[in-house]
Structures are given as C-alpha cells and as structure tokens.
Amino acid sequence: MAEENELRYDPATIEPKWQQRWAADPTMYAAEPVTCGKPKYYVLEMLPYPSGQLHMGHVRNYSIGDALARHMWMRGYNVLHPMGWDAFGLPAENAALKNNTPPREWTLSNITAMKRQMERLGLGYDWATEVTTCLPEYYRWNQWFFLRMYEKGLVYRKKSKVNWCPECATVLANEQVVDGCCWRHETTLVEQRDLVQWFFRITAYAQELLDGLDKLDGWPEKVRTMQRNWIGRSEGTEVDFFLAEQGAGDKEQRSDRTRIRVFTTRVDTIFGATSVQLAPQHALVAAFTAADAKLKTQVDELIEQQKKAREAGDLGAIEKHGVATGHFAVNPYNGQRVPIWVANYILADYGTGAIMSVPAHDERDFEFATKYGLEIRRVIQPVEQGEGSESLPFLSEDGVLVNSGEYDGLSCEEAQKRLQQVAASGGFGEAKVIFRLKDWGVSRQRYWGTPIPMIHCEKDGLVQVPDEQLPVLLPPQIEITQQGGSPLGRVPEFVNTTCPKCGGPARRETDTMDTFVDSSWYFYRYTDAKNSSAPYDPAKAQYWFPIDQYIGGVEHAILHLIYSRFWTKVMRDLGLIMNDEPARRLFTQGMVIKDGSKMSKSKGNVISPDDMIASYGADATRMYALFAAPPDRDLDWQEDGVAGVSRFLGRVWRLATKYAPLARTGRGQSIKAPKGLSLKLLRKLHQTIAKITQDFEGRWHFNTCVAAIMELVNDMQAADAQLAAGDVPAPVMLELLRSLVLLLAPFAPYLAAELWEELGEEGSVLHAAWPKSDPELAKEDELEIPVQINGKLVTVICVAADASSKEIEALALGEEKVQLRATGKTVVKVIVVPGKLVNLVVR
RNA sequence: GCGAAAGUGGCGGAAUUGGCAGACGCACCAGACUUAGGAUCUGGCGGAGCAAUCCAUGGGGGUUCGAGUCCCCCCUUUCGCACCA
C-alpha cells in the first residue's frame, strides 16, 4: 500500500509543501530595484472586489496573468506582478445590515480568505506591494487627488438631475446605468432626482480620450469601439431659433427675444425645417405648460411614455408622439415661422434638448411629420439622379441645395460651412462639437467609501481640507441603516468641525466617493505602495509605466477603463507621470460558463475553485482553465476535463520521477550528435519549445501550448520501453526532462517546482532561464507530404526535407497509386509546394 | 435597425501565411493488468460502405491546381450600440 502511494501523483502533498516553502520567502516574487539593468515588464490583472470567495472567472484571469508573469521572469525580465483589493463599496454595507458586522471587519476578513485562496492557487504576487483601497493609507491619496483636481477646476459641484437607485439608496454615474436600470440591480429602475453633487470634469478630456484610442493598438478593437461610442463625438452647428410671441410681429429687438437653441449635424438642411421639437423636460416647455393646463397634461403623458420605454429598456423603439404647443419659432436664416412641438423622442440630456425638424432629410422627423401632417419640404437634391433618389427622406449628404434661397446650388459640405459662418457673424449660432460623454458624478450617499475632503463653512463657503489634515478618516463605529441620505451625516463627531480658514464652526461634506475613483489609479500605487508622503514616487512610476499587459474582463470596457485613462491624463497634467495612457496592451478574457450559461447562484451552476483544488489540485485547476479554450473565448467548465488534466500531470510526474535518477547522472556532460530515439525526442522537444515561446510572444493560445506539452509527453511515454532499456543517454534525458519542467513552469508551478528539485536542480525554477529552441535540432530531415490529384488526396510520400521540387515531382509521379489514377489521362500541370504538397492536375 | 465576433465529430477545441480537416483532451467502446481504482496501460472512435472509395467545417453561389480559411448572398447564436438630432 505504502509503495503504491509512492507511485502516485499526489497534488495534495506536493502543493501544500511548496506553498509553505514559498510563503517562507516573501521576496520570491518581488520586483527588483529600478536600477537592476534588466528590461522591465509590468503584468497586471484587474484587482478583485473582496466578496469573500474567488470565482472561476478570477481563477481564469489570474491563471493567464500568472503564466505570463512566470514566463517573463524566466525570460530574464524585471517583472512587477502585484495584487490588491477593490475594497470599498456597497456589499460591505449590505453585509453589515444582514450580519451586524462592521463593513471594515467584513471586508478585511474577506480579504484574508481570498488571499489564502490565491496563495493556495500558487499565484506569484509580490504581497509587499499589496494595495487595499479601503485603508486610510490608500484612500488618503484619493482625497489628495480630489483636492489637486479641485484646484485645477476639474472638480465642481452642481445641482443636477442624477441617477438614483432606490435599492442602493445612492446616486449612480451614467456609466453605471444599464438600460435604464442599476448596474448592480438589473431589475431596479433608476430614478431621476435633483441633488447637489460633486463632478469630475472628464469632458475636459473627451477629445483626448477619443484621439488616444487610435494609438491604443494593443487594445481589443471591440473595447476601443465601445469607448468611441460612449464618448460619442458629433460635429455640427448650434443655431438659435427665436420665439415668435403672439402679436409681437417683427418689431421687437432681437436681443429681447427668447432663443431656442437647437443642435444639428445638418445645418445645410435648415431651409427644410418645418417645426422645432422640444424635449418634454425642456425649460421652455415648463414655461408654456405653466400657462396651459391642458398642455401640461399632454406633456406629462409624453414624459410618462419615455419613462415606460426606459423601463422596458427600449427607448429606441418608442412610438413617436408629440403635441403642438401653439407657439411658433422663427428660423434665423429666412425668418420663417414654424410651429413648436414637444415630442417624446427628443432627449433632454443630449445636445440642447431641442431640434429643428427636417422631415425631408431625417428619418425620425419624416416619420413624425407624416404622422402629424407637418409640412415636408425638400431642400437637398442628389447630384446624380438615380433610382430611389427622388424618394423621401433623402438622407445622403451627397447632394446640392434647393429651395434654400441664396444657398441654392451649394454642395451640402460647402453649405454647412457657409451657414455656420453666417450664424456666427449674425450672432445666432456657431459650429459646435458635442459629446455624449457626461461629466463623472462621483458623490455617493454611502458610508463605505472615501470621504470627500471638503468643508462647508457659513462664512467662507466651500473650503478644502488642508493636505496636512489628510486623511479625513471614516468614523469607525457607525450604525448602518437603510434610511436615505448620507450615513456620515448622522455622525456628529464626523460632521462637526472647524473651518480651516476662519476657525469657526463648520460642517464636513458627508458624501463619499464612487468606488471607481479607487480603481482609477491603484496600479500606480503598486509601484510604491508604502509611500506615506505621496501617492507614489514619480520616478518609480515612470520606470514601470505604462503597464505592459493588463488583463481583465470585457465588462470593464467602459467604466473602469475610461475612468483610469482619464485619471492617467490628469496625473500627467499634474506632472506626476510622463505616460499618456495607463496600459500599452489590454487583454479581455472570455467568461467562464457552465452548461452554456453564466455561472450564478440562482441557476445553481456555480463551481467553487476550492472544490476543484481539493479534488484535483491547484495545478490541474489552473491548467484546465488555460487548456479548455483560447483565453479570449468563453470557457465551458467541465469537471471531467479537469480530471483529464490531472491525469496528464500524473503522467508527467511518473515519467519524470522514473527517469530523474538517470537524468541526474548526465549533468555536466554534453550531448554529442544525437541519433535515433534521442534525436527524435530532442527534435520534438525543440519544436515544442519554439511553439510555446512563439505563443507567449503573440497569440496567447495557451490551450494549444498545453496540448503541445501533452504531445511531447505522449511521445516520450510511447518510447517508455526503449527509455527503460537505456536507448537514450543520461545527458539527453536530462535535457528532455529539464526542458519539460521549464515549459510546464508557467502553467503548473507546483509540479514544476517539485520535479525541478527531483532533477537535482539548484535554485528556483522561477528564475531558471526559459529554454531556447535550436532550429537545427527542431528541423525534420524527412517530411511526409500529401500527393493530390485534382485537389483530392491520393497518397502520402516521404521525402528528404531539402528535396528539390523536381525530386519531389519525380517521386510523386512514380507512386503506384498515382500511376493507377493517371493512366489514360494527361497530366496537364504539376504543382509542387516544397515541404507542403504535390498536386497533379490531370484531364 | 446598425456594428462586431462566432458557427468544425457526442462534447471542449486544433488547423498561425489558402496546402493531409478533426491535433490535444473529454465522453464512449473493446482489451490488458488486476480485480473494486475517480488507478494504470494498449487499441478504436465524423458519416456511409465488406472494401476500393465516396461524402463531410451553418446553407447557397463564386475565385483557385487546391477553400474551414478569400469574395458575394442567406440563416443562426452571442456581444455591443440603438430616436445621439
């Protein structure tokens, strides 16, 4: 029995042994000083929220990052591979409510548990640079940045309609509203409330955020497209229509008139404007309805329709309704009076919340005008009359103006320029670029977040907390309740303070910051995590940045990844870094699914990493996560597959332990002109090295890397009888096993460490040099190449690797099967692709 | 509706530049060893056929000596955007 156990791969023994040894050396995964002279490599996985449990998505994410980090270590790079915790946020407060545990305790104990899981997985992080965002030593720098940004005019406060999630009892950023619902509560409709809020002026960087995307060629096109859409740049013109008051005629002074500013991308069609459409929430509508109860009812109906559509998550499909206000507006270009309508398809928060309606040249306006019988006036004629060019709406900008007074005959493009100039000189409009991107609302009426470091003084107004008073600490003892308003507002010791300017009594700001502030710059902190006098040393950040490879889920394509790009640009403008972008390359891994759908508690299809590790070990679990699918695709978790990888690791273990004694005796001897089995296996080895090395450099198809290692092991195992008979000399065996272990090291670090020791190697496999493929050895001397007739496979011939086309052709034509098929026919053409195939065209 | 990605055995997937379709693994079948192991080893495993062969990469067309790969049309799935004026 005991003897049998020895012949068995037992990760439950091997892995904890190494885990203990590694834990005893905390510098094992530490980066070297910036002066070390090695090229640097910063590999980063997105930091997790400390929910208390790693899920398979984490395991996959970190297995990819860890394999890359280990590979780069072995390639001789100075590697920074850190980990931290995105530790502020609502779940801690919910847990506090449920279990009566303070958020801080709950969060910190979750961190301990998850860190243990990570260590059990054997992930190579330098814990000396660990960042925990809920600790004062971190969040004080959120406050510090807030103040610097305030000083630069990048932080401001305004009363505005905000997205309010009744479930979270707090405000949400635009980015956190998904289909009109809360991103955390997918069925909870977000309400609009009027609140005074703090904002970051991300729109100041809108153009740069957009332009930067073109240079981020190491990012997935998908993510760049999503960000482009989100930023939503649009070039056009703002034009003032004037309210034509009843009876006022044209006598009134232009300056006294009420302006209705509209935004349009097609000012060239303005002579075709037959109405002005206002969003139901437009300020002018409020003025109209105040004097018109019937209109008010109708407008309220429109607002209700919009709300319902939002609820259905389908604002785009809303049926267009509108109501005429009875008021009129004057087109500034031709003085024409057009009716003012209110319509449910006009968005209050885009552009000016008002449009000119040109039914002849806009699909939506056409639909609306048709429905309500509004005039449709063509003002653009196609350059070339073609089929369909006469039908309306005519949307192309490839045309010339008609029915447009002095502008007739101009091309659309020319007309746009001219009309913009006219508007500007006439003082009733201007060329304008607008963005869909809105400023980032960061106020949250929650407890578990970074306190905003501002003070309200009756005498001095808004006053910054002086730097030397940072951090503004979260009060430790607080009763978490579900009632609305800022929880900090209920803690008098927190709220009541003195004004730093006048020394008089004052009140602290009680809002906390959105947790996306925390994750916008955490990766800079890793470079200098213990710094207590600055967020980080700019020299260290400059050495490490940009991040060479960032790895995470595509769900952060907008929120986190746009905020951190913004933050990087702000820090650059504060002189704290030199780079424009945080990460050179971004990799978005696919989801881990089970039976075709996302793992979730409600579906009961959640696979626990702990269970997998307990059954098959960390190596098998990690390796399966890399083997089951290419990393950018979704991965269907199949436990039988993990068992298969575990069996494979067992084969490796048995093979290596069986031949390690022989291999050890080969140390120091050189391999001379290998032949026969030695040559065959060495050739396979060097092909495998080349394949895997290449994959790490570009494609990242780790599934085929693992498959390649399996092929190598299968070849060795198939030769077991010959190996046992001593057909392969000791130095060759050493080369084979040593390289096998090195290739395995990024994917199965525990087994690699164990076998490295078994082979009698000194030092850690982590810093052993990655094997180099010898192209001479990898080259086949004989090739099997297919012979086709008219593209159909007929036979396979064996030729020398350096055979000429003529030789190959002769060989192919001499084949019995070929002759049989070719009799009575003419060989029209012979195609020989050296090293690939022969194709005979016969007729 | 617009845009992107994808569609290959019973399953996950491979085929990096147009060149032997199905590597590697799972599941399954047969056998060996032993006999109760989630063990190991050997062999088989897209379909039809005794076979030679033929048919097969969502469907249809095309380019080519040759197409899973390139082009056109269509279908399905997933994701993103969706009255953005």
Side-chain angles (χ1 to χ4, degrees):
Chain A
M1 192 66 189
E3 211 177 49
E4 252 187 86
N5 267 343
E6 273 167 43
L7 292 171
R8 213 157 147 186
Y9 164 61
D10 184 17
T13 313
I14 294 172
E15 295 183 354
K17 178 180 94 185
W18 286 98
Q19 195 189 329
Q20 250 179 15
R21 289 207 209 167
W22 294 340
D25 178 10
T27 64
M28 175 140 171
Y29 301 110
E32 293 174 59
V34 301
T35 51
C36 70
K38 294 180 180 176
K40 69 95 183 177
Y41 198 84
Y42 187 174
V43 54
L44 180 69
E45 297 111 64
M46 288 180 187
L47 86 178
Y49 178 79
S51 61
Q53 280 264 309
L54 288 184
H55 54 67
M56 277 304 173
H58 292 128
V59 172
R60 189 179 195 197
N61 189 175
Y62 308 148
S63 298
I64 295 167
D66 201 45
L68 178 64
R70 287 174 187 275
H71 174 75
M72 295 314 279
W73 265 307
M74 295 172 79
R75 293 284 288 269
Y77 283 80
N78 183 23
V79 176
L80 179 59
H81 190 217
M83 187 39 74
W85 311 97
D86 187 16
F88 270 139
L90 204 54
E93 289 182 59
N94 293 339
L97 264 173
K98 209 171 143 194
N99 315 324
N100 206 25
T101 328
R104 183 186 158 99
E105 269 178 39
W106 182 83
T107 304
L108 295 182
S109 79
N110 283 350
I111 289 175
T112 308
M114 289 171 78
K115 195 166 164 180
R116 198 182 302 128
Q117 288 182 297
M118 288 183 177
E119 285 170 336
R120 180 64 189 84
L121 276 165
L123 298 167
Y125 298 123
D126 179 9
W127 290 110
T129 66
E130 180 179 6
V131 164
T132 304
T133 62
C134 68
L135 298 179
E137 56 258 40
Y138 183 79
Y139 70 68
R140 70 175 292 182
W141 301 112
N142 285 346
Q143 296 172 339
W144 187 86
F145 278 121
F146 186 99
L147 294 172
R148 300 294 83 77
M149 286 162 77
Y150 182 74
E151 288 158 2
K152 285 212 130 200
L154 291 170
V155 171
Y156 66 94
R157 212 167 165 255
K158 73 169 180 197
K159 186 168 182 174
S160 70
K161 286 238 187 292
V162 293
N163 307 301
W164 177 271
C165 173
E167 199 73 25
C168 301
T170 189
V171 165
L172 302 177
N174 287 320
E175 287 80 356
Q176 291 164 335
V177 181
V178 180
D179 290 338
C181 292
C182 174
W183 68 305
R184 303 196 61 93
H185 303 98
E186 290 169 26
T187 55
T188 306
L189 194 66
V190 172
E191 299 168 6
Q192 302 294 304
R193 287 200 184 180
D194 269 317
L195 278 180
V196 179
Q197 299 286 297
W198 290 95
F199 286 88
F200 286 167
R201 210 180 291 279
I202 191 172
T203 53
Y205 289 86
Q207 187 65 52
E208 203 198 331
L209 285 168
L210 182 67
D211 293 342
L213 291 171
D214 294 335
K215 287 173 247 158
L216 283 175
D217 52 10
W219 283 38
E221 192 51 51
K222 179 185 169 136
V223 171
R224 294 196 279 165
T225 305
M226 284 167 74
Q227 291 209 357
R228 275 190 201 103
N229 289 341
W230 187 262
I231 295 167
R233 183 180 195 274
S234 193
E235 276 181 32
T237 315
E238 282 189 358
V239 179
D240 293 328
F241 280 65
F242 299 95
L243 190 60
E245 287 306 342
Q246 278 93 340
D250 285 338
K251 277 172 281 174
E252 30 179 354
Q253 297 295 307
R254 177 163 275 182
S255 57
D256 295 340
R257 297 202 211 169
T258 305
R259 295 159 181 258
I260 306 167
R261 179 153 277 225
V262 303
F263 175 78
T264 176
T265 54
R266 292 296 305 278
V267 70
D268 52 310
T269 65
I270 198 163
F271 282 72
T274 56
S275 68
V276 162
Q277 302 285 343
L278 304 180
Q281 299 84 354
H282 196 278
L284 197 56
V285 175
F288 292 159
T289 54
D292 187 341
K294 190 179 161 216
L295 184 62
K296 178 156 180 24
T297 320
Q298 290 170 314
V299 168
D300 286 347
E301 177 65 19
L302 296 175
I303 293 176
E304 188 58 26
Q305 286 159 4
Q306 281 189 341
K307 196 181 153 193
K308 278 204 182 120
R310 211 171 263 131
E311 211 162 331
D314 209 4
L315 200 59
I318 189 171
E319 198 192 331
K320 292 178 181 52
H321 291 290
V323 50
T325 61
H327 298 265
F328 289 83
V330 176
N331 182 333
Y333 288 100
N334 59 6
Q336 201 202 355
R337 276 166 58 109
V338 295
I340 300 174
W341 285 64
V342 184
N344 64 357
Y345 71 99
I346 308 303
L347 305 173
D349 57 357
Y350 184 76
T352 58
I355 65 152
M356 64 176 199
S357 177
V358 185
H361 304 289
D362 182 281
E363 225 161 343
R364 296 151 300 176
D365 295 345
F366 184 84
E367 187 189 335
F368 190 85
T370 309
K371 177 170 177 180
Y372 288 100
L374 295 170
E375 188 193 346
I376 299 170
R377 190 192 312 142
R378 172 163 213 144
V379 292
I380 307 289
Q381 211 51 261
V383 178
E384 281 175 39
Q385 312 286 315
E387 45 183 308
S389 67
E390 288 308 312
S391 70
L392 293 177
F394 179 74
L395 305 175
S396 169
E397 286 190 54
D398 205 3
V400 293
L401 273 68
V402 293
N403 298 326
S404 299
E406 58 190 289
Y407 306 99
D408 278 356
L410 290 179
S411 72
C412 292
E413 202 188 329
E414 284 171 88
Q416 285 176 14
K417 279 191 203 138
R418 280 276 297 282
L419 289 160
Q420 281 174 348
Q421 284 161 7
V422 169
S425 54
F428 58 84
E430 62 195 325
K432 182 96 178 182
V433 173
I434 63 168
F435 294 93
R436 214 186 71 129
L437 183 73
K438 301 266 170 15
D439 279 335
W440 174 12
V442 293
S443 284
R444 296 293 181 274
Q445 291 68 47
R446 304 303 321 172
Y447 164 70
W448 195 230
T450 304
I452 288 176
M454 298 295 287
I455 290 168
H456 303 270
C457 171
E458 274 197 24
K459 190 158 148 268
D460 296 306
L462 270 176
V463 182
Q464 295 179 238
V465 172
D467 281 6
E468 60 275 13
Q469 287 179 25
L470 297 183
V472 177
L473 288 170
L474 272 176
Q477 297 301 331
I478 178 167
E479 200 198 340
I480 306 287
T481 65
Q482 214 149 19
Q483 66 192 102
S486 289
L488 292 179
R490 295 191 293 271
V491 184
E493 312 86 272
F494 177 84
V495 177
N496 297 322
T497 184
T498 51
C499 171
K501 265 194 190 159
C502 67
R507 293 174 57 81
R508 280 191 195 282
E509 170 63 54
T510 56
D511 283 353
T512 51
M513 294 184 206
D514 182 3
T515 57
F516 277 97
V517 170
D518 311 336
S519 55
S520 288
W521 69 280
Y522 73 101
F523 31 69
Y524 289 94
R525 181 71 179 173
Y526 283 141
T527 65
D528 197 14
K530 297 286 186 289
N531 197 323
S532 58
S533 58
Y536 53 83
D537 174 356
K540 288 183 182 161
Q542 197 187 329
Y543 171 80
W544 285 110
F545 270 81
I547 296 160
D548 293 279
Q549 184 67 61
Y550 198 16
I551 307 166
V554 75
E555 65 273 18
H556 295 107
I558 303 290
L559 290 155
H560 164 58
L561 289 171
I562 216 161
Y563 292 146
S564 30
R565 292 183 61 223
F566 161 65
W567 206 279
T568 287
K569 291 170 194 305
V570 170
M571 293 199 306
R572 178 202 59 198
D573 291 348
L574 289 168
L576 294 170
I577 43 163
M578 310 285 278
N579 49 297
D580 296 321
E581 295 285 349
R584 200 191 308 274
R585 283 167 55 88
L586 171 71
F587 188 88
T588 50
Q589 95 264 8
M591 275 195 307
V592 179
I593 55 178
K594 173 78 187 143
D595 306 324
S597 59
K598 200 173 165 179
M599 286 188 193
S600 72
K601 276 186 204 147
S602 56
K603 285 191 199 106
N605 61 350
V606 178
I607 306 274
S608 140
D610 286 346
D611 292 350
M612 286 298 124
I613 294 170
S615 303
Y616 306 102
D619 278 344
T621 304
R622 294 174 52 158
M623 203 155 165
Y624 175 74
L626 297 175
F627 176 61
D632 53 338
R633 280 218 243 157
D634 285 353
L635 181 158
D636 198 272
W637 195 271
Q638 297 185 0
E639 188 168 339
D640 285 335
V642 190
V645 171
S646 170
R647 278 197 291 272
F648 164 69
L649 293 175
R651 285 202 296 277
V652 173
W653 183 86
R654 280 192 302 276
L655 187 75
T657 47
K658 183 171 179 184
Y659 293 107
L662 171 65
R664 275 198 294 255
T665 66
R667 189 170 316 282
Q669 302 174 36
S670 59
I671 300 170
K672 300 176 206 96
K675 291 191 294 279
L677 182 61
S678 293
L679 179 60
K680 188 180 158 234
L681 293 178
L682 285 171
R683 180 172 288 150
K684 183 70 180 176
L685 170 69
H686 282 269
Q687 289 168 352
T688 309
I689 294 170
K691 192 246 173 305
I692 294 174
T693 306
Q694 210 185 342
D695 240 311
F696 266 113
E697 282 164 4
R699 219 169 54 132
W700 277 28
H701 279 197
F702 298 131
N703 54 329
T704 61
C705 291
V706 175
I709 299 176
M710 287 174 171
E711 283 188 52
L712 173 64
V713 171
N714 288 350
D715 278 10
M716 289 176 71
Q717 209 185 353
D720 189 48
Q722 288 161 275
L723 294 178
D727 277 12
V728 161
V732 173
M733 185 57 85
L734 181 65
E735 162 83 356
L736 288 169
L737 290 182
R738 205 178 168 277
S739 303
L740 172 62
V741 170
L742 292 171
L743 291 175
L744 216 49
F747 309 112
Y750 284 115
L751 181 59
E754 175 76 8
L755 296 179
W756 193 244
E757 189 177 60
E758 190 75 21
L759 288 172
E761 294 285 346
E762 298 287 325
S764 162
V765 67
L766 185 71
H767 290 104
W770 183 254
K772 217 172 141 48
S773 172
D774 179 344
E776 281 307 309
L777 258 178
K779 212 163 76 186
E780 297 283 353
D781 46 20
E782 273 200 332
L783 296 174
E784 283 193 340
I785 67 172
V787 180
Q788 299 178 337
I789 290 182
N790 295 339
K792 301 252 179 207
L793 181 69
V794 173
T795 186
V796 175
I797 55 173
C798 214
V799 302
D802 54 0
S804 70
S805 295
K806 269 191 180 164
E807 291 171 299
I808 296 172
E809 183 178 334
L811 259 169
L813 287 169
E815 277 288 307
E816 195 184 339
K817 281 188 177 175
V818 172
Q819 301 211 327
L820 219 63
R821 298 270 200 120
T823 42
K825 291 171 180 164
T826 328
V827 177
V828 182
K829 198 172 170 188
V830 181
I831 291 141
V832 179
V833 186
K836 289 283 187 190
L837 63 28
V838 181
N839 190 17
L840 308 173
V841 185
V842 302
R843 227 179 268 144

